[in-house]
Amino acid sequence: MGLSRGDYPVLTLGQAPATAAVRMAAVVIIVALSLVTLITAAHAETPVAALPGFLPAFASLTALAQLLTAYLLWGQARAGEQPALVVPAVTYLGGALLIAAHAWLFPGAFFVTLQHRGEAAAWLWVFWHLLFAGGVFVYGLYPAAWSGPGDFRRTARRGVWIMVSLVAAAVALARSGLLPALVGAGRFHVPEWLLVLMPAAMMLAMAALAYGRRARTVLDTWLFVAIAGVWCDMALMHRGAGRFSIGWYAAHVIGLIAALAVLLGCLAEINKLYGRLVWRAARMDDANARLQAVNSELSTMAEHDALTQLLNRRAVLMHLTESFEAWRRGGAAFGVLMIDLDHFKTINDDYGHLAGDEVLAQVAARLRTAVRASDIVGRYGGEEFLVVLPGTDAHGIRITATKLLRAVRDTPFRCQDRPITVTVSIGATCVGGKDQGPEHVIARADRALYAAKRGGRDRQAWADWSRA
């Protein structure tokens, strides 16, 4: 049997398997970024006029995209209590902080013109990419042994502290003037060791993601898109060889597009997961409603007699016991009527047991309609019925017994298209001071019933508790 939409579990981005549609969207974006990079690379060194508002706008949008991605991943980590998701969450948080610092220190972007800060901005761009590669690498190889059940908060605090420390150290180091110069006469002069380090870091990140986590989940897939964007960013930045070139502008645009693609991909999946959760909640509500209906039906079946639809012996005795306990605690008195059909064996012999069952059902219906809604009517056994009359004195009990006699007698029954007269005998009593339990009340009503039988049937007999 196939699973419906609601049968799938609700997962986090780090657990939800990437569907074919998600993988295809990621491949299309990676191919598009690669094609744009290849086409742009041929003209990457061409200088372009400086656009004063470009870097602030780029930095603001990219940092916002990274910050929102960090927030989404943090929410997923907290919802699923998955320490591993803390790693990409704080990685994107660190990226947002470094992008903001890079733009602030970039000469002319936010009215900062000190020369050594231009070098700081270049190194922060390097640290941003290395930080991202390191975060993906740790996430890909994150061991479960690093945190146990219930250890999420400690891991989260530790992750945030480590990331903030790394960002602070990166900013301090970039501004210290101790690092080699990367910018001269408006062009980049990247050391060979850095040209090896950055691609190597990205390759290690890809390997960790591919082989450590098998790249199965939605988050894994979109991290590959982010890595592709970083590759294209690095390639165009190096190919452009200077600020305000076509390669320099294209690298920033591609980085922004990759960041937005990851953010939108995560948002789409979270929206899907939320829809699945709502679907499951609706199904659960429907299942609970059906379960309540079944339980109600089972409760009715357990408490009611199948033939007469009255309470069965167990249920009516339970109500009698409750009334007795309430009376013993100082509550109102109550009456009990024991009712038996007269000559019921003759009806079965003359008309058959099916006719007898029909007579029992009709008698039950007349008894139920002749009493108050608060009165308890049940089938005691065979052709006997038991009626409990809460808050009723002796006079009221006799009046009710008379109404029941008339309700059964005055309208003939029909069996096999022949009218027959059915009567009942009633033993009536009221709870009293000598009663030690509900069984005493029933026994007294039963003795009164047999007195009514001996007296000629179709009548009621009273048994007073004082003479019990």
Side-chain angles (χ1 to χ4, degrees):
M1 184 174 63
L3 295 175
S4 65
R5 176 182 175 185
D7 291 321
Y8 291 98
V10 177
L11 305 172
T12 65
L13 292 176
Q15 296 172 317
T19 62
V22 171
R23 294 181 184 277
M24 180 58 67
V27 169
V28 169
I29 294 173
I30 292 174
V31 171
L33 293 178
S34 302
L35 289 176
V36 170
T37 301
L38 291 174
I39 294 172
T40 309
H43 309 281
E45 296 185 40
T46 304
V48 179
L51 302 176
F54 173 79
L55 193 60
F58 154 79
S60 300
L61 290 175
T62 307
L64 179 61
Q66 297 254 339
L67 195 60
L68 289 176
T69 304
Y71 176 76
L72 292 178
L73 294 176
W74 183 269
Q76 292 280 294
R78 184 175 57 182
E81 291 195 348
Q82 293 181 275
L85 286 182
V86 172
V87 177
V90 297
T91 298
Y92 271 94
L93 173 63
L97 296 176
L98 287 177
I99 292 169
H102 163 74
W104 180 257
L105 295 176
F106 192 89
F110 290 98
F111 309 104
V112 176
T113 57
L114 296 178
Q115 293 182 356
H116 73 277
R117 292 193 177 181
E119 286 291 344
W123 274 106
L124 286 178
W125 179 86
V126 173
F127 290 150
W128 166 28
H129 289 74
L130 292 177
L131 176 72
F132 178 77
V136 174
F137 178 80
V138 174
Y139 171 66
L141 300 180
Y142 190 93
W146 280 12
S147 56
D151 203 25
F152 170 76
R153 290 187 177 180
R154 187 180 69 178
T155 304
R157 288 194 299 266
R158 183 183 301 168
V160 172
W161 183 85
I162 292 174
M163 183 53 60
V164 171
S165 299
L166 288 175
V167 170
V171 173
L173 185 60
R175 296 186 59 187
S176 67
L178 300 176
L179 298 173
L182 297 180
V183 181
R187 297 182 64 82
F188 296 130
H189 302 283
V190 183
E192 293 185 0
W193 62 269
L194 193 57
L195 289 176
V196 175
L197 176 61
M198 293 184 68
M202 299 310 301
M203 292 179 65
L204 286 174
M206 293 177 63
L209 201 59
Y211 297 102
R213 298 187 57 83
R214 299 294 187 268
R216 297 182 297 264
T217 69
V218 172
L219 180 58
D220 301 340
T221 303
W222 288 113
L223 286 178
F224 267 109
V225 173
I227 292 174
V230 172
W231 273 109
C232 295
D233 180 1
M234 291 191 306
L236 287 175
M237 193 69 73
H238 178 66
R239 182 71 177 172
R243 294 170 177 169
F244 308 117
S245 63
I246 289 180
W248 185 86
Y249 279 108
H252 285 78
V253 171
I254 285 178
L256 175 60
I257 291 174
L260 291 175
V262 174
L263 174 61
L264 294 177
C266 290
L267 282 173
E269 187 63 27
I270 289 174
N271 187 56
K272 185 191 303 182
L273 294 175
Y274 176 75
R276 190 178 300 165
L277 179 62
V278 172
W279 182 275
R280 284 170 61 85
R283 289 193 66 220
M284 187 173 293
D285 289 343
D286 180 63
N288 287 336
R290 285 183 290 171
L291 181 60
Q292 290 178 357
V294 171
N295 287 338
S296 177
E297 183 178 353
L298 291 176
S299 177
T300 299
M301 292 173 61
E303 294 183 354
H304 288 73
D305 176 64
L307 175 62
T308 63
Q309 303 304 309
L310 297 177
L311 294 176
N312 57 27
R313 180 188 181 102
R314 176 178 172 274
V316 74
L317 288 178
M318 184 181 300
H319 283 282
L320 175 61
T321 301
E322 292 174 355
S323 298
F324 185 86
E325 294 298 329
W327 167 78
R328 188 160 61 180
R329 291 192 299 268
F334 62 91
V336 172
L337 303 178
M338 185 70 77
I339 304 173
D340 185 77
L341 269 69
D342 296 329
H343 305 296
F344 184 68
K345 184 176 182 304
T346 302
I347 295 176
N348 279 333
D349 292 343
D350 292 347
Y351 299 98
H353 288 283
L354 291 179
D357 289 346
E358 179 62 26
V359 168
L360 280 174
Q362 292 187 41
V363 168
R366 296 186 186 187
L367 295 178
R368 179 66 268 178
T369 56
V371 298
R372 301 169 301 180
S374 59
D375 296 332
I376 309 300
V377 183
R379 185 180 180 186
Y380 193 68
E383 65 270 21
E384 287 188 325
F385 301 89
L386 182 66
V387 180
V388 181
L389 307 171
T392 309
D393 59 13
H395 180 68
I397 295 170
R398 290 188 174 96
I399 291 177
T400 301
T402 301
K403 287 174 58 179
L404 295 178
L405 289 171
R406 290 175 179 172
V408 176
R409 179 203 315 123
D410 291 354
T411 302
F413 293 74
R414 298 192 68 82
C415 289
Q416 299 175 2
D417 294 330
R418 295 167 53 189
I420 61 172
T421 300
V422 177
T423 60
V424 295
S425 299
I426 301 179
T429 190
C430 181
V431 67
K434 292 184 179 181
D435 293 322
Q436 299 299 313
E439 64 277 2
H440 293 168
V441 185
I442 292 178
R444 191 163 58 252
D446 196 53
R447 289 196 298 271
L449 172 62
Y450 281 97
K453 292 281 189 181
R454 290 192 299 271
R457 294 182 171 84
D458 189 21
R459 67 190 62 221
Q460 61 170 298
W462 176 265
D464 195 283
W465 64 266
S466 61
R467 295 192 294 273

